Amino acid sequence: MNGTIQNRDKLLNQIASRLGRPRISSKIQKPNWKYQPQHEVYKDATQDELLAVLEEHCQKIHTDIFTTDLQGLPAVVNDVVANCGGGPVVTWKDERFSEWGLDSVMKKEWPSQQIDVFEWDHTLGEENINKAENANVGITISEITLAESGTVVLFSDKDKGRTVSFLPKASIMLIPKSTLVPRMTQAAVKMREVYQKTGHVASCINFITGPSNSADIELNLVVGVHGPVKATYIVVNDL
């Protein structure tokens, strides 16, 4: 959406004057800090080592994790959905599902079993949210995965509704092994690289760490309070 900014210079000049300095209007150079410990954590870890870190942390965030190759992915997804109680299932509209061989499950096997499968369709508007709200399982794909905290990063767009990850009772997130990075530091670098390459930022970027939980009351952890009750990560060896 394009618009007109009113009184911007006046406002910025006033803020600068209250700070007791001239207004800075030239491009600011990024500081080169002498100490940058954030880059040292798991600095030389391999993808297998990062996967081990992720698997260990999933135990702390009450998240099931499975590892498979592309050949075994359809069977694993089918089993996880069954263990979550079956459908209805809602998914993003993402060509990677087909590329990874999931059409056999999503478009053939589940419909033949009378399991309702809904693919996000931005032309349907509010119906997408209603489908997600009434779904038992939502399936999404992680773009960047933080091993240290067990966090998946989801990029939303017109075909990847954000409600798919938090309105269904259970959330299944497919994690390409190639997306594993040590921590938030590297995720920020990757997102900046995407912006510099494409000039585009996702409409919504969600950082999700396992199922919803809260420890607000007496520091007692309660899992599944305001979002998916159950979360499952499926790591796909795409390397």
Side-chain angles (χ1 to χ4, degrees):
M1 180 183 296
N2 294 322
T4 302
I5 300 176
Q6 303 288 341
N7 300 315
R8 175 171 58 183
D9 290 335
K10 181 180 179 181
L11 173 64
L12 294 177
N13 289 335
Q14 181 177 357
I15 293 174
S17 67
R18 292 300 179 93
L19 292 173
R21 61 163 174 78
R23 177 182 161 191
I24 300 173
S25 56
S26 59
K27 185 176 181 180
I28 298 176
Q29 296 297 321
K30 182 180 178 181
N32 184 19
W33 302 109
K34 182 177 181 180
Y35 299 106
Q36 301 186 50
Q38 70 272 22
H39 293 289
E40 300 301 316
V41 180
Y42 304 121
K43 178 179 179 180
D44 299 316
T46 66
Q47 293 304 104
D48 287 334
E49 290 170 337
L50 290 177
L51 176 58
V53 172
L54 175 66
E55 290 174 331
E56 180 180 359
H57 198 74
C58 279
Q59 299 177 22
K60 302 176 183 179
I61 60 173
H62 306 278
T63 299
D64 294 332
I65 182 170
F66 300 90
T67 304
T68 183
D69 55 19
L70 290 175
Q71 184 176 2
L73 181 60
V76 174
V77 171
N78 185 56
D79 289 345
V80 171
V81 169
N83 289 335
C84 289
V89 176
V90 61
T91 75
W92 280 348
K93 183 178 181 180
D94 194 311
E95 60 186 15
R96 287 174 292 184
F97 291 133
S98 296
E99 293 172 358
W100 294 346
L102 290 175
D103 282 353
S104 60
V105 173
M106 294 180 173
K107 297 183 179 180
K108 295 179 181 179
E109 187 170 345
W110 288 344
S112 70
Q113 299 174 2
Q114 308 304 312
I115 295 176
D116 181 52
V117 182
F118 178 80
E119 182 182 74
W120 189 272
D121 184 348
H122 71 276
T123 65
L124 298 179
E126 197 74 19
E127 183 179 345
N128 291 286
I129 299 175
N130 293 333
K131 287 289 187 179
E133 185 178 17
N134 291 289
N136 182 55
V137 176
I139 303 178
T140 55
I141 301 174
S142 178
E143 304 295 345
I144 309 172
T145 310
L146 286 54
E148 181 186 49
S149 58
T151 302
V152 299
V153 183
L154 307 183
F155 292 172
S156 298
D157 63 30
K158 64 181 180 63
D159 293 322
K160 301 171 185 175
R162 56 186 178 178
T163 55
V164 175
S165 65
F166 69 81
L167 282 183
K169 184 177 180 181
S171 183
I172 297 174
M173 285 158 273
L174 307 184
I175 299 175
K177 190 176 179 180
S178 60
T179 68
L180 286 170
V181 299
R183 63 207 308 254
M184 180 70 76
T185 302
Q186 291 75 22
V189 171
K190 283 185 173 291
M191 287 187 289
R192 182 173 180 82
E193 289 174 350
V194 170
Y195 172 72
Q196 291 176 332
K197 182 178 180 179
T198 66
H200 173 74
V201 178
S203 60
C204 179
I205 300 176
N206 285 321
F207 293 81
I208 301 175
T209 306
S212 63
N213 62 81
S214 174
D216 293 341
I217 303 176
E218 299 295 334
L219 297 180
N220 292 321
L221 182 65
V222 179
V223 178
V225 291
H226 46 64
V229 175
K230 184 177 180 61
T232 302
Y233 294 166
I234 302 177
V235 179
V236 185
N237 190 354
D238 61 334
L239 298 173

